[in-house]
Amino acid sequence: MRVWHEDDDFWRTMAPYLFAKRRWEDAPTEIDGLLQLADISPPSGVLDLCCGLGRHALELARRGFRVTAVDRNAEYLAQARTQAEKEGLEVEFVQEDMRRFRRSSAFHLALNLYTSFGYFEDPQEDRQVAQNLYASLKPGGNLVMEMMGREVLTRIFRDRDWQPTDDGGFLLEERQPSSDWTWMNNRWILVKKGEVKEFNISHRIYGGADLARVLLESGFQKVMLFGDLQGSPYDHKAKRLTALAFK
Ligand SMILES: C[S@@+](CC[C@H](N)C(=O)[O-])C[C@H]1O[C@@H](n2cnc3c(N)ncnc32)[C@H](O)[C@@H]1O
């Protein structure tokens, strides 16, 4: 059986919930915040690594950036491309694995957003992704990463949640951290129209210091941590682990 992050059925089934309307509505504000953090303006070149349906890539293109959007999922890329064409936006879409995509010194800004890092059991593969991001930036370029951080997760942790979905179903999430809290095992059970689908999703959980270390060891000169894309501190009220790294 395929590992969850290479399972197209998982991404197809979960797309309406992962990318619900409010997630799309959040994207412009997230872009406002990260552009300010990275202090960048159009028409600079931006890489959106693990772009999904293109929430951020499309918004950046609307604002005049030259965007390259990379994802392994062909269906997501096709949907994003259709939307770009509808709006007359020029975006370069590339189907590639984050462990392999690397374009030497090509971008002013690289993005990896909404917990798109930490998927691989072998930590060396995460390091490969960080090294690729570093190599793909121009000297002086910035990386913005945003994910669920260990410090936040331990503060808000619930071992299970039931939520109704917009389409009349229910999503049950069960969570089990590894004993050292570096890895999270999740069971997602979707119940819709009498049908039940279950997925096991597991990924590495980075604390602030862990993420900074991986980025520094991948070549970045300096790493600043924030609690969201608006630049709030990574403190006891932080919502997300956000890193701004400087090449
Ligand atoms: C949680 S989604 C985030 C999407 C997007 N960044 C957003 O904020 O809407 C994670 C994305 O990573 C992609 N992905 C998963 N494994 C990947 C890999 N090995 N290489 C490239 N993309 C991958 C998935 O297809 C999915 O689109």
Side-chain angles (χ1 to χ4, degrees):
M1 213 172 89
R2 282 186 160 246
V3 63
W4 69 273
H5 52 80
E6 292 179 353
D7 176 3
D8 289 343
D9 185 48
F10 165 75
W11 294 108
R12 189 180 305 122
T13 305
M14 285 300 157
Y17 318 111
L18 289 170
F19 312 111
K21 190 163 164 266
R22 77 178 171 88
R23 299 281 179 204
W24 284 93
E25 288 166 357
D26 288 345
T29 315
E30 292 171 354
I31 293 293
D32 287 343
L34 71 84
L35 291 179
Q36 229 175 356
L37 278 187
D39 190 19
I40 188 170
S41 44
S44 305
V46 183
L47 166 65
D48 184 3
L49 185 67
C50 301
C51 65
L53 295 176
R55 294 187 303 140
H56 303 102
L58 294 165
E59 182 61 24
L60 285 162
R62 283 179 204 119
R63 297 182 190 205
F65 288 91
R66 283 181 287 109
V67 184
T68 298
V70 178
D71 204 282
R72 64 161 289 286
N73 188 313
E75 293 172 28
Y76 281 9
L77 290 173
Q79 282 187 54
R81 191 177 288 116
T82 302
Q83 186 59 33
E85 283 165 5
K86 224 188 250 175
E87 295 186 43
L89 299 171
E90 238 182 81
V91 177
E92 180 194 15
F93 291 103
V94 180
Q95 184 182 9
E96 186 52 287
D97 192 296
M98 64 174 126
R99 287 163 287 190
R100 278 191 292 274
F101 182 84
R102 174 186 282 233
R103 192 177 286 173
S104 192
S105 303
F107 304 101
H108 296 94
L109 174 66
L111 305 175
N112 179 263
L113 304 175
Y114 191 28
T115 312
S116 299
F117 189 66
Y119 290 0
F120 310 112
E121 260 181 68
D122 178 355
Q124 189 45 43
E125 294 190 294
D126 281 1
R127 286 173 185 272
Q128 182 65 57
V129 175
Q131 288 162 12
N132 291 346
L133 285 162
Y134 177 81
S136 299
L137 283 169
K138 291 181 188 292
N142 287 155
L143 165 68
V144 176
M145 293 186 106
E146 178 264 326
M147 66 194 72
M148 177 50 71
R150 185 185 309 126
E151 293 82 358
V152 179
L153 190 65
T154 51
R155 194 185 76 229
I156 64 169
F157 188 77
R158 291 157 64 96
D159 60 0
R160 54 169 57 202
D161 272 317
W162 264 113
Q163 354 162 357
T165 60
D166 293 343
D167 53 12
F170 276 98
L171 184 61
L172 169 67
E173 294 184 43
E174 290 180 353
R175 308 179 185 91
Q176 173 76 54
S178 63
S179 56
D180 60 0
W181 282 79
T182 60
W183 194 257
M184 187 61 62
N185 295 298
N186 308 274
R187 204 168 145 223
W188 290 8
I189 302 169
L190 178 68
V191 185
K192 205 172 86 181
K193 294 187 185 134
E195 208 192 313
V196 180
K197 272 203 166 190
E198 183 173 329
F199 298 99
N200 291 301
I201 299 137
S202 61
H203 56 91
R204 187 161 290 98
I205 297 290
Y206 282 91
D210 309 324
L211 180 61
R213 189 177 319 111
V214 168
L215 294 175
L216 291 169
E217 288 175 3
S218 300
F220 287 95
Q221 284 183 26
K222 181 176 145 187
V223 176
M224 296 171 76
L225 299 179
F226 299 97
D228 57 29
L229 288 166
Q230 312 308 317
S232 311
Y234 193 59
D235 63 9
H236 58 291
K237 291 189 216 145
K239 295 190 196 85
R240 306 283 291 171
L241 171 55
T242 306
L244 171 65
F246 299 77
K247 179 164 179 176

